[in-house]
Amino acid sequence: MRVNIEITAASNGQFANIFLCYTEPETEIEKKVQLKVHDFTDLHDFTNDTSSLGFDFFLISTIVYGIDDLFSREKYSFNGWTREFEIQFPVYNTDAWNPVVDNLNEALTFLTGDYWTVSFSSLNVRMYVERGNRRRSLIPQYNFGDYEFASLFSGGLDSLIGVIDELTNVPKDKKGILISHFDWTYKGPNNDQNRIIGKFQNHFSDKFTHLRCRVGLNNVDNNGDSISRDTNQRSRSILFLGIGSFIVNAVPNLNTLLLPENGTISLNHPLTPSRSSSLSTRTTHPYFIKKIQEVFGQVGLSVLLHNPFSFSTKGEMVFNCSDSIVLNDTFNDSVSCGKRGHKVNWTNRNARQCGVCMPCIYRRASLHKLNLDNEVYGKDLLNHPDPINASPDMPALFDYLKTNLPAEGIRRNLLVNGSVSQDNLSDFANVVVRSRGEILSWIRDKGSQQLKTSLGIR
């Protein structure tokens, strides 16, 4: 699928209009869909930047996110999953980006499970024009010397814990930057972030600056037809990295962007062989982060990507959180579910999380470590009348929990499914072992006899 990028110059107070243009394969009808960037004023007030390498990567990541969302795998893949994309990214610093084609192709292909062929062209339009009649007194002023850290903040449990740890330990005269994104089509993260930020105002009133950007597609194309959408949102992580690196690049005394994610989810070790390769998400996988870091190094973008929890399970993150009082006050406001909104078969449709997808299972097992597994879920696996059929993930989970895979087998799987560095292979494998143990302990302590019997747990 060849996707052309059409950009019309920004107008007063607005970001430029971006259109994803393509030819529908079946009908050969030419279509275009607008990719909207809102709230860029907040980012520009902080960075005062629309032309740096950081801005280029922000624009690249925005376009990747839009393309990934626009073309459903069911309709546009050649095998039910894999799509092919050919794209020329418009950037201001073309000479810097041309050498990174191979690394960026590899990073995107690994991230989304598709085939990407990228190139770069010179960007010759203004991407943002500040509103001319803004009152100067209402424009926020930032002292970059105040900032001690910058962290992604999604509204999930991991980023919540990561930010709590940083804010608890930041020096008295310093503060942090919390960086968020949401898409108006998928409204849940916006509400999650708002609830938590509201409580952070009470706990850490002057210790952080929250910067957020909305990016998303129009719901219809230029012909008025509804777009198909791919809801996997695998590229959401690169958009987070794009926003985050754009912000960090503007702060002279700060070069590290924190990506708080437990090692289990980052690695996403397949529950069964059938779920390996493209069926396992790779949003913060060490190999993907490594490839993006190599891209940064090649172009000269001085931003270091760091996950402080690469070798921690979710349960260890919960247990070792630096402020249990704040965690107790806010964890209920975070959401980990990968199936939120799909409530047709939920027992409790007032819940915000399904309770039976793998992110929910990891969440419940981790919170159990501090006796915090007391939330209401759409389905309760621990007391479900037919647990193995509680969700499509359950047969694979049951197989995984009943198979005592040794660390050597896990190391082999990690190499096959994710290009993990040999230097950290044993550490990563041990994270998987410990994470499996957390789920088993949770079921052993709280599960129904039927669930325990089906798993061979006494």
Side-chain angles (χ1 to χ4, degrees), residues 151-165 259-266 284 307 309 312-315 317-318 334-336 363 366:
S151 177
L152 300 186
F153 175 68
S154 66
L157 182 59
D158 286 7
S159 69
L160 169 64
I161 292 171
V163 168
I164 290 174
D165 285 352
L259 325 172
E261 183 91 87
N262 73 83
T264 312
I265 290 295
S266 291
T284 57
N307 180 3
F309 303 106
S312 299
T313 68
K314 202 179 192 80
M317 288 182 67
V318 168
S334 69
V335 172
S336 306
R363 176 189 179 92
S366 69

Side-chain angles (χ1 to χ4, degrees), residues 160-443:
L160 169 64
I161 292 171
V163 168
I164 290 174
D165 285 352
E166 296 297 326
L167 290 174
T168 301
N169 295 304
V170 74
K172 288 185 178 180
D173 59 340
K174 298 292 184 179
K175 60 176 67 175
I177 311 169
L178 313 189
I179 300 165
S180 300
H181 154 259
F182 77 94
D183 184 332
W184 49 85
T185 302
Y186 312 99
K187 298 178 181 178
N190 176 41
N191 297 326
D192 306 336
Q193 294 159 15
N194 287 341
R195 286 192 301 269
I196 296 170
I197 289 297
K199 291 185 177 178
F200 275 2
Q201 298 288 359
N202 298 325
H203 294 287
F204 308 110
S205 57
D206 297 317
K207 305 298 287 184
F208 67 91
T209 295
H210 183 215
L211 296 174
R212 180 164 57 181
C213 187
R214 288 182 292 161
V215 177
L217 295 168
N218 242 352
N219 290 320
V220 296
D221 61 28
N222 61 314
N223 298 317
D225 298 324
S226 297
I227 64 174
S228 55
R229 289 195 185 276
D230 187 80
T231 58
N232 286 280
Q233 285 200 294
R234 291 191 164 210
S235 60
R236 187 172 181 237
S237 62
I238 197 171
L239 179 55
F240 261 121
L241 296 183
I243 299 170
S245 58
F246 174 53
I247 291 169
V248 170
N249 186 57
V251 185
N253 58 302
L254 195 63
N255 72 342
T256 299
L257 176 62
L258 299 177
L259 325 172
E261 183 91 87
N262 73 83
T264 312
I265 290 295
S266 291
L267 292 166
N268 215 330
H269 178 271
L271 300 178
T272 67
S274 65
R275 293 166 66 99
S276 63
S277 189
S278 63
L279 293 180
S280 291
T281 58
R282 294 159 166 179
T283 55
T284 57
H285 193 283
Y287 181 75
F288 170 66
I289 300 303
K290 174 187 173 185
K291 297 308 293 185
I292 295 297
Q293 193 71 74
E294 289 176 359
V295 168
F296 286 0
Q298 282 182 282
V299 300
L301 185 55
S302 300
V303 176
L304 177 66
L305 305 174
H306 176 57
N307 180 3
F309 303 106
S310 290
F311 304 122
S312 299
T313 68
K314 202 179 192 80
E316 289 161 355
M317 288 182 67
V318 168
F319 189 79
N320 295 319
C321 181
S322 58
D323 194 323
S324 59
I325 294 175
V326 179
L327 180 63
N328 271 272
D329 188 37
T330 56
F331 80 92
N332 271 298
D333 299 302
S334 69
V335 172
S336 306
C337 184
K339 307 289 185 182
R340 66 187 303 169
H342 303 279
K343 299 186 176 185
V344 174
N345 296 315
W346 291 15
T347 304
N348 188 333
R349 296 187 186 180
N350 293 320
R352 292 204 304 268
Q353 308 183 75
C354 75
V356 287
C357 68
M358 283 313 302
C360 280
I361 298 300
Y362 287 128
R363 176 189 179 92
R364 295 198 63 181
S366 69
L367 290 170
H368 177 59
K369 276 185 167 285
L370 286 183
N371 294 317
L372 296 178
D373 178 34
N374 53 21
E375 299 172 287
V376 174
Y377 291 87
K379 293 182 181 180
D380 179 12
L381 176 66
L382 297 176
N383 297 289
H384 198 278
D386 186 13
I388 198 169
N389 292 312
S391 83
D393 286 336
M394 288 305 103
L397 175 62
F398 276 47
D399 184 55
Y400 173 65
L401 295 178
K402 290 192 291 186
T403 302
N404 188 19
L405 186 64
E408 176 58 36
I410 295 173
R411 286 195 291 270
R412 184 170 56 252
N413 288 345
L414 291 175
L415 282 174
V416 169
N417 291 291
S419 304
V420 174
S421 168
Q422 290 276 3
D423 295 340
N424 304 123
L425 194 56
S426 292
D427 291 329
F428 283 132
N430 288 333
V431 169
V432 176
V433 171
R434 298 197 305 274
S435 180
R436 178 177 177 274
E438 288 177 1
I439 298 175
L440 287 169
S441 294
W442 169 63
I443 293 173

